[in-house]
Amino acid sequence: MTAPTAPALGPSAPSVAPETLLDGTNRTSDVTVMKWLIRARHADLAHPGVRRWVVPLLCAGIGIPAARDAANGIGPAVPTVLALIVAFCVPLLWRQQRPVLVFALTSAVSSVALALDAATGSEAARIVALLNVGRNVRPAQLAVCLAIAVAQTSLSVVVRGAEQPNEQFLQTPVLAIVQSALVAAVAAAGLVGRVVNAYIRALHERAVRLEVERDQRARLAAAAERARVAREMHDILGHTLAVIVGLAGGAAGLTETKPKRGAETLRIIADTGRGALAELRRLLAVIGEERDTSEDPPTPGTGHPHAGPPLAPQPGLADLDPLLERVRGAGPTVTLHTQGALTDLAPGLQLAVYRVVQESLTNTLKHAAATTTVHITLTTDDTSVHVTVEDTGPSRTPRSPASHVEGRGLLGMRERAALYGGSVTAGPTPQGGWTVEAHFRTTTTPPPPHTAPTEKRPA
């Protein structure tokens, strides 16, 4: 009977680096040992037949000298020696499935060999069987098997020592103690091997679980940021549609009295509608169908259709000055340099730039000292907008790119940049500060939305 064991780490398990298993430790020696153990374990599990057959063949090879001596007339006859070698080695083929039974068989064959006074060398099979007992069975069974092995080893030493002269027979107790200690060490090695395998398996499962949880947190954070962006875009589009409705009502009256003025109003409506449609396509291209914001619980002040004033305008670049004043009030010195017609940008793009600056300043307040200086640069041309927020440090708390990737700050900025075909990078400066750079495209053609194709109507 064997004790149930946990599933072994196999080739089909997700690959996890030893550095991850050891929590990114810098102890290179431990990582090297872990790599060797993992490679050996994977090789063993990938080719289980190799170890199954090699070990019995090695034990049989150890018995070749005894067979040669038997052929020369020394000791028992050749058939007896060969039968003992086969009896020792063949059961080892099932040592993994039936460790206790294999140990019992090899112990019985060892007793027969002792009775026949046949030292074949293949008795090492009994040590291999004991090693597998330590690796697979419960401690109580291991203790029983170990007691049998120690007793059998001591008896073998005493019986063979009785044939020696008296002065050598006096050394028998010492020899028996040494060999019994070696047998106990073999059993302990099997037990330690089982513990090591269980430890590696637990580390692997923990590392895989942590990676899954990290990915889940990242997806949840991305979904939350997309929902937030969607609600903000809802406000912008709602405000734009309200303007279109108002202009359409005025154009209806002007068409009869002032046709030229009415035509100009209709062109304004068309331009405004195209801009709103472009914003909507960008939004749908990023959030896809992963979240239905209409199912979110209403939250005051978020721009949700059921929360607060639905047409409240979102902040733009004209609102940067009040934001910078609030940050200056907390201690840091903030400078702003602009270049280009920033106020002519689309409302959604202005909101994205504003949020990037806001999040960067928030990180500065969290991590940098109160005496730091923040330089903000906003530049725009016909095709793109470039944002740079750099603080001079020093840092009050450690900051690393990995910590920001896992948080929502940098993730949210990247989601906003993705709306306009841009990107965001962040990292430390050689002077000890921190820099955030964001790029947005102003002329990006909106990708096709994930919704059903728009129905075309004849003009």
Side-chain angles (χ1 to χ4, degrees):
M1 296 295 293
T2 61
T5 57
L9 174 62
S12 60
S15 178
V16 179
E19 295 82 353
T20 304
L21 295 178
L22 296 176
D23 290 333
T25 179
N26 293 324
R27 296 174 295 178
T28 56
S29 59
D30 294 345
V31 173
T32 302
V33 172
M34 183 68 73
K35 287 181 178 179
W36 184 86
L37 290 174
I38 290 177
R39 284 199 298 267
R41 185 63 175 165
H42 277 282
D44 182 34
L45 293 173
H47 307 283
V50 174
R51 181 162 59 97
R52 182 187 181 189
W53 288 93
V54 166
V55 173
L57 290 177
L58 287 177
C59 292
I62 297 175
I64 292 178
R68 185 178 62 247
D69 292 340
N72 295 331
I74 303 175
V78 173
T80 301
V81 174
L82 293 179
L84 289 174
I85 293 175
V86 171
F88 272 123
C89 298
V90 171
L92 293 182
L93 295 174
W94 294 273
R95 64 188 182 278
Q96 293 290 115
Q97 295 84 356
R98 297 289 186 270
V100 176
L101 178 60
V102 171
F103 174 77
L105 291 175
T106 53
S107 298
V109 175
S110 180
S111 299
V112 173
L114 181 62
L116 297 175
D117 193 20
T120 63
S122 295
E123 291 183 354
R126 185 167 61 93
I127 303 302
V128 174
L130 181 61
L131 178 67
N132 279 273
V133 168
R135 289 170 59 93
N136 295 284
V137 306
R138 293 189 295 269
Q141 293 176 302
L142 175 61
V144 173
C145 294
L146 177 60
I148 294 174
V150 169
Q152 195 171 32
T153 299
S154 301
L155 179 62
S156 175
V157 172
V158 171
V159 170
R160 288 193 168 93
E163 302 174 357
Q164 303 298 327
N166 291 335
E167 59 275 8
Q168 295 184 5
F169 180 75
L170 295 177
Q171 302 176 358
T172 299
V174 177
L175 185 60
I177 293 174
V178 172
Q179 292 195 9
S180 298
L182 293 176
V183 170
V186 170
L191 184 60
V192 170
R194 181 171 63 180
V195 172
V196 169
N197 285 336
Y199 181 66
I200 294 176
R201 189 161 50 244
L203 285 177
H204 183 271
E205 292 173 354
R206 176 177 176 270
V208 171
R209 184 174 64 255
L210 289 177
E211 287 187 350
V212 171
E213 291 176 354
R214 182 193 62 191
D215 294 340
Q216 290 176 344
R217 287 195 301 269
R219 285 194 293 267
L220 290 174
E225 289 297 329
R226 288 171 180 172
R228 180 184 174 189
V229 172
R231 288 191 289 267
E232 292 176 348
M233 294 299 294
H234 168 272
D235 290 350
I236 293 175
L237 294 175
H239 178 74
T240 304
L241 291 176
V243 173
I244 291 176
V245 171
L247 290 174
L254 292 173
T255 302
E256 298 178 356
T257 59
K258 298 180 180 180
K260 185 175 181 181
R261 182 74 176 274
E264 293 177 357
T265 305
L266 290 175
R267 281 192 290 271
I268 295 174
I269 292 175
D271 294 338
T272 306
R274 279 191 292 268
L277 182 59
E279 297 287 348
L280 182 60
R281 285 180 176 174
R282 288 192 180 97
L283 174 63
L284 294 178
V286 173
I287 66 174
E289 299 177 355
E290 293 186 11
R291 188 179 182 102
D292 183 6
T293 56
S294 63
E295 297 178 358
D296 291 341
T299 303
T302 59
H304 194 278
H306 305 288
L311 302 182
Q314 292 291 341
L317 297 182
D319 300 296
L320 280 178
D321 289 335
L323 173 64
L324 301 185
E325 287 300 326
R326 291 194 296 270
V327 175
R328 293 187 185 106
T333 301
V334 184
T335 61
L336 174 64
H337 175 72
T338 61
Q339 181 179 352
L342 296 171
T343 56
D344 295 339
L345 298 175
L349 182 54
Q350 290 194 38
L351 173 62
V353 174
Y354 178 90
R355 293 303 188 196
V356 168
V357 174
Q358 183 185 43
E359 182 63 34
S360 301
L361 293 175
T362 301
N363 289 335
T364 297
L365 292 176
K366 287 181 180 178
H367 301 287
T371 57
T372 189
T373 300
V374 184
H375 302 286
I376 304 174
T377 303
L378 305 178
T379 59
T380 181
D381 52 30
D382 295 337
T383 60
S384 63
V385 178
H386 179 71
V387 182
T388 302
V389 182
E390 179 179 358
D391 66 66
T392 59
S395 295
R396 186 175 59 222
T397 58
R399 294 188 288 188
S400 65
S403 64
H404 282 268
V405 170
E406 294 179 359
R408 293 190 177 185
L410 185 56
L411 181 61
M413 289 189 282
R414 285 176 173 167
E415 291 291 337
R416 295 179 186 280
L419 284 171
Y420 297 92
S423 61
V424 175
T425 58
T429 62
Q431 294 75 23
W434 193 263
T435 299
V436 176
E437 295 187 358
H439 299 270
F440 302 86
R441 296 181 182 178
T442 58
T443 59
T444 303
T445 302
H450 295 283
T451 55
T454 304
E455 180 183 359
K456 296 183 178 181
R457 299 180 182 271

